């Protein structure tokens, strides 16, 4: 039997029930009559008598008291539901504030949870007021709920549960809270938007909002900044995401706009839609992102194909000229602008993982946690575990990517094979639902058909994007709105009867549904409250970063960071930064007074600061033990007190080695381990030197040699991972020199210099080794190069002056040491050298020459390439059991974001 005959039979059966067929169909099919009539109101006695007993019983059970039927409360709830969804749809592409570190995603997540939660709670309140629980039962309900269950389980078993629940700063779209809110909006739209007009308005609001976002983006691209805030004043900034994510988003909206123009509408609306379409085409052409352009061509092909099938006659096909023109314009721009935007705009290059690299990371993650993965929003941890070694040879070797090449690979990696299967099941179910619905579209002339076609094409477009591009909250929201819009509008256009899940089906189901709804209400209210608390913490953290950038006092930063930690105690980032701050404050106390001038109270404060910093980072490790940043911070604060705290060296080594287990491809960790072994060798050498005769060259003990050899091994491992890692290459030469293998050290430094000729530290160390081995001409060349790179580098001028002296160039030697004397006026050795040269003597006459002269300002040349936010404390700094180890005195400046 044809679909037309089915629809005709349905209409005739409804007429037999007494002339109120529209009210009857709305209630029976959707359980959401816009009037307050009961299902059997207006029926004739004959029709009631002829009705099957089981149907009559079901209808009678849904009757409500007149006071409930005629109350205004359900109407108010409907207004709240509709208004909240409309407002959310309008604001999602636009809403952004610079008051949090994640200006786009966190603000949109808060908006989604707040307005989506209001709409959802209003719907639940409406059902409670009506005294019934009725939910549309459709084909997608099972895969949607299955996806939610899998994501929830992945969060429960996550390696960092709090981040999986709420998302990290910048990855809020990948959190369970966001998925819950998106699914809630899907259910609200599916169960409450029961007319063509509501779905059409939803689409028009999304188009209008996107039009405003596009105008703003065009101004941004061409450097016309409306808002001068540094966050906004960039030509790549827009209200959706990256410019390429915006291109993806606008491609979907342009498809919807082309379909909306095919519907019968007032002239002024069509004019605005046409203007919007031109702006959207201009955006696509200006950005010229080939991925979105190719997907757009596919989406438009689907739109035109279905529209032609639906039109069925030549007169109707004339209306398809507009989408054909749009398709032609985009196609021409795609062909003409193969090498770049034909608008000649300068846009940043977007760096991301390739599909193959993303698959490699996924395979590594599946070996460890195949079924449920590491948890939502933890992709960066998976990336560090499975990072391809080739990336270490690029400029992005130290970047932690928090998304794969596509949203699908991101979810498949972080939520495991079950997460990937649940997503594919949902997409497959939607495709089946679309196909089964659209087979009836031939020569359909109903209102809303073109809107349905546009939703179909845009949904397919965004679904393809899931497999070829990373996503964000705006793109995800659009996908879920289109999913709900198709399901709802298809049921209206094709007159489908939809079953209801109702508490009247059975007492047991009634009890279960009532209990579930109570849990949902409590859960959503809790989510809204906790989301607000975390948002306030993020605002306070952003204020702390701003204060730090403005050079605020450390004491002020302390109170602010402590407030952040108190507001959101479950985010490891906050605790780690507080630890960094506390240790830097320790450095400041020592620097301000000097070791010799510390009072007993100062010494107690320093000890307490150390243990407070250690407590904070241990809390961070406890929250997220798989984040190498936490383990590295714990290692660093121990590394910086080697020589002052017993066991600090071994504690630092243990934590660095723990960090290597979760980030095995990081060369900087091996580099830091090598540094620790060198410090241990220095301490051992210093201890032996104190036992030797003054004026003799200190000899290396077996323990010192062993430590230097271990340092060299770790530097070499760093170079194995990253062949062009200059700091490690430099330190290999330092280790070789300390072991007495000077020729090998020179060869190593010569190789390093060829790779990085602008590094003053390498050329300096090379010059020193040339000098110490008597190669004075080569020493002169290397050291002159160093002074050109760093004109006030006293150590380089010092050895350059000695080299000139060895070459019997007294005049130039004197010039170098006079410059050093200007920079270091209190250095007695430099004064003696100047006097020697003025008297025609050798520079070092009368000075200790066992070490080739002393560095004038105590610099350690081997550490020129090392920069740390937290500095090592002097040996014998009083680090012992503090009096108040649980107090958090203060954070340091420069908390890392």
């Amino acid at each position: 039997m044809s679909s037309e005959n089915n629809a005709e039979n349905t209409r005739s059966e409804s007429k037999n029930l007494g002339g109120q067929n529209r009210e009857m169909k709305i209630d029976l099919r959707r359980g959401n009559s816009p009037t307050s009539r009961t299902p059997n109101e207006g029926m004739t006695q004959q029709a009631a008598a002829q009705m099957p007993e089981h149907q009559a019983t079901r209808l009678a059970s849904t009757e409500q008291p007149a006071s409930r039927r005629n109350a205004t409360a359900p109407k108010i709830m409907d207004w709240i539901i509709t208004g909240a969804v409309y407002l959310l749809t309008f604001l999602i592409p636009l809403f952004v504030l610079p008051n949090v570190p994640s200006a786009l995603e966190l603000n949109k997540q808060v908006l989604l949870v707040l307005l989506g939660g209001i709409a959802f709670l209003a719907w639940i309140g409406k059902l409670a007021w009506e005294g019934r629980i009725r939910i549309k039962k459709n084909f997608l309900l099972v895969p949607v709920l299955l996806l939610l269950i899998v994501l929830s389980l992945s969060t429960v078993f996550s390696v960092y549960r709090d981040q999986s629940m709420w998302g990290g700063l910048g990855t809020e779209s990948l959190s369970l809270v966001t998925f819950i809110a998106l699914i809630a909006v899907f259910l609200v739209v599916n169960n409450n938007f029961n007319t063509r007009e509501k779905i059409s308005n939803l689409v028009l609001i999304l188009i209008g909002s996107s039009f405003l976002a596009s105008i703003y983006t065009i101004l941004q691209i061409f450097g016309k900044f409306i808002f001068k805030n540094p966050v906004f004043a960039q030509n790549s900034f827009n209200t959706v995401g990256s410019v390429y994510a915006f291109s993806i988003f606008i491609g979907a909206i342009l498809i919807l706009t082309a379909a909306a123009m095919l519907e019968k509408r007032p002239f002024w609306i069509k004019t605005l839609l046409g203007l919007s379409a031109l702006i959207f085409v201009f955006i696509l052409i200006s950005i010229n992102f080939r991925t979105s352009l190719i997907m757009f061509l596919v989406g438009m092909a689907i739109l035109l194909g279905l529209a032609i099938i639906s039109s069925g006659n030549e007169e109707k096909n004339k209306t398809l000229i507009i989408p054909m023109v749009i398709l032609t314009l985009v196609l021409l721009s795609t062909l003409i602008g193969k090498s770049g935007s034909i608008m000649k705009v300068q846009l940043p290059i977007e760096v991301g993982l390739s599909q193959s690299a993303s698959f490699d990371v996924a395979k590594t993650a599946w070996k460890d946690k195949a079924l449920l993965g590491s948890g939502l929003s933890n992709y960066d941890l998976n990336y560090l575990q499975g990072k391809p070694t080739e990336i270490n040879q690029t400029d992005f070797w130290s970047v932690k990517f928090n998304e794969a090449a596509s949203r699908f690979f991101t979810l498949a990696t972080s939520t495991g094979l079950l997460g990937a299967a649940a997503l594919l099941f949902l997409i497959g179910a939607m495709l089946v639902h679309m196909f089964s619905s659209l087979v009836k579209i031939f020569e359909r002339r109903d209102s809303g058909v073109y809107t349905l076609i546009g939703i179909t094409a845009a949904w397919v477009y965004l679904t393809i994007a899931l497999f070829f591009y990373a996503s964000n909250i705006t793109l995800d929201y659009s996908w879920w709105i289109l999913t709900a819009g198709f399901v709802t509008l298809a049921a209206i256009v094709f007159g489908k009867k939809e079953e209801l899940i109702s508490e009247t089906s059975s007492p047991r189901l009634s009890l279960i549904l009532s209990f579930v709804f109570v849990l949902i209400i409590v859960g959503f209210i809790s989510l809204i409250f906790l989301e607000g608390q975390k948002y306030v913490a993020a605002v306070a953290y952003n204020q702390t970063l701003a204060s730090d950038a403005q050079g605020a006092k450390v004491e002020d930063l302390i109170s602010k960071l402590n407030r952040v930690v108190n507001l959101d105690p479950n985010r490891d980032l906050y605790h780690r930064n507080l630890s960094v701050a506390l240790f830097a404050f320790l450095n400041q106390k020592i620097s301000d007074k000097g070791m010799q001038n510390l009072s007993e109270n100062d010494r107690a404060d320093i000890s307490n600061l150390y243990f407070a910093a250690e407590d904070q980072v241990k809390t961070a490790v406890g929250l997220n033990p798989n984040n190498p940043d936490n383990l590295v911070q714990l290692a660093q604060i121990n590394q910086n007190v080697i020589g002052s705290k017993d066991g600090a060296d071994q504690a630092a080594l243990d934590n660095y080695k723990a960090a290597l287990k979760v980030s095995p491809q990081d060369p900087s960790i091996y580099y830091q381990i090598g540094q620790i072994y060198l410090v241990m060798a220095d301490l051992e050498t210093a201890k032996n030197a104190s036992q030797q005769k003054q004026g003799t060259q200190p000899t290396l003990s077996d323990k010192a040699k062993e430590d230097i050899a271990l340092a060299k091994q770790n530097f070499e491992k760093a170079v194995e991972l990253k062949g062009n890692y200059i700091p490690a290459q430099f330190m290999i030469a330092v280790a070789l020199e300390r072991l007495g293998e000077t020729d090998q050290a020179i060869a190593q430094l010569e190789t390093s210099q060829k790779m990085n000729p602008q590094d003053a530290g390498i050329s300096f160390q090379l010059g020193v080794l040339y000098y110490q081995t008597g190669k004075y001409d080569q020493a002169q060349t290397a050291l002159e190069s160093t002074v050109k790179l760093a004109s006030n580098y006293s150590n380089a001028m010092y050895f350059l002056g000695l080299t000139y002296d060895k070459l019997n160039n007294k005049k130039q030697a004197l010039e170098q040491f006079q410059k050093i004397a200007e920079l270091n006026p209190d250095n007695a050795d430099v004064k003696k050298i100047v006097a020697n040269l003025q008297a025609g003597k050798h520079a070092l006459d009368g000075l200790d020459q066992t070490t080739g002269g002393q560095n004038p300002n105590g610099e350690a040349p081997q550490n020129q390439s090392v920069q740390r936010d937290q500095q090592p404390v002097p040996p014998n700094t009083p680090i012992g059991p503090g009096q108040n180890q649980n107090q958090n005195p203060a954070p340091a400046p420069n908390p890392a974001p």
Side-chain angles (χ1 to χ4, degrees):
M1 182 179 294
S2 68
S3 59
E4 289 81 358
N5 290 337
N6 284 334
E8 186 64 33
N9 290 340
T10 302
R11 287 192 289 270
S12 63
E13 288 172 6
S14 298
K15 288 179 182 178
N16 290 336
L17 296 180
Q20 302 294 335
N21 55 316
R22 183 164 297 277
E23 286 81 6
M24 285 296 301
K25 287 201 297 182
I26 289 174
D27 189 70
L28 286 173
R29 286 163 43 213
R30 292 180 286 279
N32 267 330
S33 173
T35 70
S36 298
R37 307 182 67 149
T38 58
N40 57 353
E41 184 178 354
M43 294 175 58
T44 64
Q45 292 181 353
Q46 180 181 2
Q50 292 174 353
M51 182 177 292
E53 181 179 354
H54 70 277
Q55 188 173 356
T57 302
R58 180 177 177 183
L59 292 176
S61 67
T62 62
E63 294 191 26
Q64 303 169 45
S67 60
R68 291 252 175 164
R69 293 201 310 268
N70 299 323
T72 59
K75 294 181 181 179
I76 294 175
M77 295 297 181
D78 276 332
W79 293 339
I80 294 174
I81 293 167
T82 306
V85 174
Y86 282 164
L87 183 60
L88 179 60
T89 303
F90 179 77
L91 290 178
I92 278 289
L94 293 170
F95 190 62
V96 57
L97 291 172
N99 60 335
V100 291
S102 178
L104 285 169
E105 294 295 275
L106 180 54
N107 283 299
K108 292 181 189 295
Q109 184 191 54
V110 170
L111 184 72
L112 178 62
V113 170
L114 179 61
L115 292 180
I118 289 173
F120 189 81
L121 292 174
W123 173 44
I124 299 299
K126 174 187 171 184
L127 296 180
W129 179 268
E130 293 175 344
R132 60 183 182 178
I133 299 176
R134 310 186 78 185
I135 307 172
K136 284 184 182 180
K137 181 181 179 182
N138 61 57
F139 189 62
L140 285 185
L141 197 56
V142 171
V144 166
L145 294 180
L146 180 62
L147 176 64
L148 181 60
I149 290 170
V150 171
L151 296 180
S152 299
L153 288 174
S154 180
T155 299
V156 170
F157 295 102
S158 170
V159 297
Y160 185 18
R161 195 174 297 120
D162 186 79
Q163 184 157 292
S164 294
M165 184 69 184
W166 303 98
L169 294 178
T171 61
E172 288 83 1
S173 67
L174 291 164
S175 67
L176 180 63
V177 165
T178 299
F179 278 101
I180 290 173
L182 290 170
I183 291 173
V185 173
F186 166 83
L187 293 173
V188 167
V189 172
N190 189 37
N191 285 276
N192 295 276
F193 282 56
N194 48 20
T195 65
R196 291 176 174 87
E197 183 183 7
K198 285 187 175 181
I199 298 299
S200 178
N201 289 342
L202 197 62
V203 171
L204 290 177
I205 288 171
L206 184 59
I207 292 172
S209 175
S210 304
F211 173 78
L212 296 177
S214 296
I215 295 296
Y216 176 74
T217 300
I218 290 172
L219 294 174
Q220 290 286 115
I221 288 176
F222 291 96
K224 307 299 181 182
F225 304 130
I226 299 175
F227 305 107
K228 304 304 181 183
N229 187 289
V231 175
F232 297 154
Q234 308 172 52
N235 76 327
S236 61
F237 180 83
N238 61 80
T239 58
V240 170
S242 70
V243 288
Y244 306 103
F246 192 83
S247 177
I248 295 281
F249 173 68
I250 288 303
I253 301 303
L254 181 55
I255 293 172
L256 288 175
T257 306
M261 294 175 68
L262 300 178
E263 294 281 3
K264 292 182 179 179
R265 301 183 187 278
F267 176 76
W268 68 273
I269 293 182
K270 285 205 171 186
T271 301
L272 291 177
L273 288 172
L275 177 61
S276 299
L278 289 176
I279 294 296
F280 298 153
V281 169
F282 182 79
I283 284 283
L284 285 180
I285 293 174
S286 297
I287 297 175
N288 195 39
F289 183 37
R290 296 193 64 80
T291 301
S292 65
L293 292 175
I294 293 171
M295 293 191 306
F296 176 78
L297 297 178
V298 174
M300 285 299 290
I302 294 173
L303 170 64
L304 287 170
L306 291 175
I308 291 171
I309 293 173
S310 173
S311 299
N313 61 67
E314 184 176 351
E315 182 179 351
K316 281 278 186 178
N317 286 336
K318 291 180 181 178
T319 63
L320 302 181
I321 292 177
I322 294 176
M324 288 180 179
V325 170
I326 293 174
L327 179 62
T328 303
L329 287 174
V330 175
L331 180 59
L332 286 175
S333 68
T334 304
L335 296 175
I336 295 172
K338 285 184 177 180
S339 59
S341 172
I342 61 176
M343 297 298 178
K344 305 302 179 184
V345 294
Q346 296 294 325
L347 295 174
I349 297 174
E350 188 172 62
V351 178
L353 294 177
S354 65
Q355 295 283 349
S356 60
S358 299
F359 184 57
D360 290 340
V361 174
K363 288 189 295 184
T364 303
W366 291 337
K367 290 178 182 178
D368 185 33
K369 291 180 174 287
L371 293 181
L372 293 172
S374 61
L376 286 165
S377 200
N378 286 324
Y379 184 83
D380 58 336
L381 305 182
N382 298 127
Y383 167 74
L384 293 176
Q385 281 277 7
K387 181 172 72 171
T389 55
E390 298 83 0
I391 293 179
N392 274 339
Q393 313 312 317
T394 70
D395 292 335
F396 309 102
W397 66 275
S398 61
V399 175
K400 285 202 303 183
F401 291 98
N402 54 27
E403 277 219 61
S406 67
R407 176 50 58 96
F408 174 75
F409 265 131
T410 301
L411 288 175
T413 303
S414 57
T415 63
L417 296 175
L418 288 181
L423 179 61
L424 291 174
F425 180 38
L426 174 57
I427 292 172
M430 184 64 177
L431 289 172
V432 170
H433 186 57
M434 280 184 167
F435 181 79
S436 63
S437 299
L438 295 175
V439 292
K440 308 171 187 176
I441 205 170
F442 183 72
E443 293 191 11
R444 298 288 303 202
R445 296 177 176 83
D446 307 61
S447 172
V449 168
Y450 287 124
T451 301
L452 183 66
I453 290 172
I455 289 174
T456 301
W459 183 90
V460 172
Y461 168 94
L462 287 177
T463 301
I464 295 173
L466 290 175
F467 293 90
F468 290 96
Y469 193 73
S471 191
N472 56 43
I473 287 180
T474 304
L475 292 173
D476 290 346
Y477 179 81
S478 302
W479 189 87
W480 282 97
I481 279 291
L482 293 178
T483 303
F486 180 89
V487 172
T488 305
L489 190 56
I492 297 171
V493 169
F494 299 118
K496 292 183 179 180
K497 290 184 177 180
E498 293 184 330
E499 299 180 14
L500 299 172
I501 300 175
S502 172
E503 90 285 7
T504 59
S505 303
S506 71
R508 179 177 298 178
L509 182 59
S510 174
L511 180 62
I512 294 174
L513 286 176
S514 299
F515 178 71
V516 169
F517 269 51
V518 169
L519 288 181
I520 290 173
I521 292 171
V522 174
F524 249 101
I525 294 174
S526 300
L527 281 182
I528 293 173
F529 173 78
L530 293 173
E531 178 77 17
Q533 188 175 17
K534 284 186 169 288
Y535 186 77
V536 172
V539 171
Y541 181 64
N542 198 58
Q543 292 172 348
T544 304
L545 296 179
S547 297
D548 176 53
Q550 295 168 4
K553 291 183 179 180
V554 179
E555 292 84 345
D556 294 336
L557 296 178
I558 291 177
S559 59
K560 290 181 178 181
L561 278 175
N562 275 323
R563 178 170 177 260
V564 172
V565 168
N566 290 331
L567 284 169
D568 189 359
N570 294 320
R571 197 181 286 277
D572 66 332
L573 172 69
Y574 299 156
H575 291 281
R576 185 172 68 248
N577 277 281
L578 183 53
S579 173
V580 171
L582 287 164
F583 199 91
F585 188 45
L586 182 155
N587 288 143
Q588 180 178 310
K589 270 190 170 292
I590 296 174
S591 175
D592 288 346
K593 288 195 173 184
M595 280 293 298
Q596 304 302 322
N597 301 319
L598 293 177
S599 66
E600 288 301 318
N601 288 336
D602 292 333
R603 293 171 179 270
D605 287 344
I606 289 171
S607 186
N608 286 338
L609 278 168
Y610 169 81
F611 286 106
E614 186 180 51
D615 286 345
Q616 288 298 326
V617 72
K618 282 183 176 179
T619 301
V621 171
L623 289 169
N624 190 3
N626 290 278
N627 188 343
D629 292 343
N630 296 332
L631 294 164
V632 166
Q633 171 60 14
L634 183 55
Q636 277 193 337
I637 64 172
N638 281 285
Q639 180 179 357
N640 291 337
V641 297
I642 294 175
S644 298
K645 179 176 179 289
D646 292 340
D649 49 0
Q650 191 59 49
L653 290 172
D654 291 343
N655 284 294
Y656 276 130
K657 290 175 182 178
L660 279 174
K661 291 181 180 179
V662 293
S663 185
Q665 302 297 325
D666 189 346
S668 68
I669 298 177
Y670 283 110
Y671 176 80
Q672 291 297 339
I673 292 175
Q675 291 281 22
I676 291 175
Y677 280 120
L678 281 185
V679 171
M680 293 167 64
D682 288 342
L683 292 174
E684 181 69 19
T685 302
K687 183 175 69 174
N688 291 339
S690 65
Q691 300 172 1
Q692 296 177 1
K693 293 182 179 180
Q694 188 173 3
T696 61
Q697 179 73 33
T699 59
L700 290 176
S701 66
D702 291 340
K703 178 65 169 61
K705 290 180 180 179
E706 180 184 351
D707 287 336
I708 295 172
L710 289 172
K712 176 174 168 288
Q713 289 177 15
N714 280 279
F715 294 138
E716 287 172 343
K717 288 179 181 178
V719 173
E720 287 176 13
L721 290 175
K722 180 174 173 58
N724 58 350
Y725 194 25
I726 302 301
Q729 292 180 342
F730 177 81
M731 296 309 298
I732 290 173
V734 171
L736 287 169
E737 190 272 333
R738 292 193 185 184
L739 290 171
E741 300 173 10
T742 307
D743 290 341
Q744 294 183 38
I746 290 175
Q748 178 67 46
L749 285 173
E750 288 174 340
T751 301
S752 299
Q753 189 181 41
K754 290 178 182 178
M755 298 179 66
N756 194 0
Q758 300 302 312
D759 192 311
I762 292 177
S763 59
F764 167 73
Q765 188 67 26
L766 185 57
V768 171
L769 291 182
Y770 283 144
Y771 173 84
Q772 291 176 342
T773 54
K775 300 176 181 178
Y776 300 122
D777 290 333
Q778 292 167 287
Q780 176 182 338
T781 301
L783 292 168
E784 285 177 344
S785 174
T786 304
V787 173
K788 287 180 182 178
L789 292 171
S791 57
N792 291 329
Y793 194 171
S794 296
N795 282 353
M797 290 187 285
Y798 182 90
F799 279 99
L800 180 58
L802 293 180
T803 301
Y804 285 143
D805 182 51
K806 290 292 186 181
L807 293 172
N808 205 28
N809 191 340
K810 303 294 184 181
K811 181 180 178 181
Q812 287 186 295
L814 181 59
E815 289 177 358
Q816 293 301 317
F817 282 104
Q818 286 175 334
K819 291 179 183 178
I820 297 172
E822 293 175 3
L823 295 172
N824 304 272
D826 298 327
N827 193 295
D829 286 349
V830 173
K831 292 179 180 179
K832 175 65 174 174
I833 292 173
V834 170
N836 285 341
L837 292 171
Q838 289 174 337
K841 299 179 181 179
H842 289 298
L844 297 177
D845 275 0
L847 293 172
D848 181 6
Q849 301 183 38
T850 56
T851 60
Q854 299 296 312
N855 291 340
N857 57 5
E859 294 177 6
Q862 68 271 18
N863 292 325
Q864 289 299 312
S865 299
V866 181
Q867 296 180 357
R868 297 177 184 151
D869 292 330
Q870 305 161 93
Q871 299 300 323
V873 301
N876 303 317
T877 297
I879 304 295
Q883 300 298 317
N884 299 294
Q885 292 180 22
N886 293 324
Q887 295 180 2
N888 296 338
N894 303 320

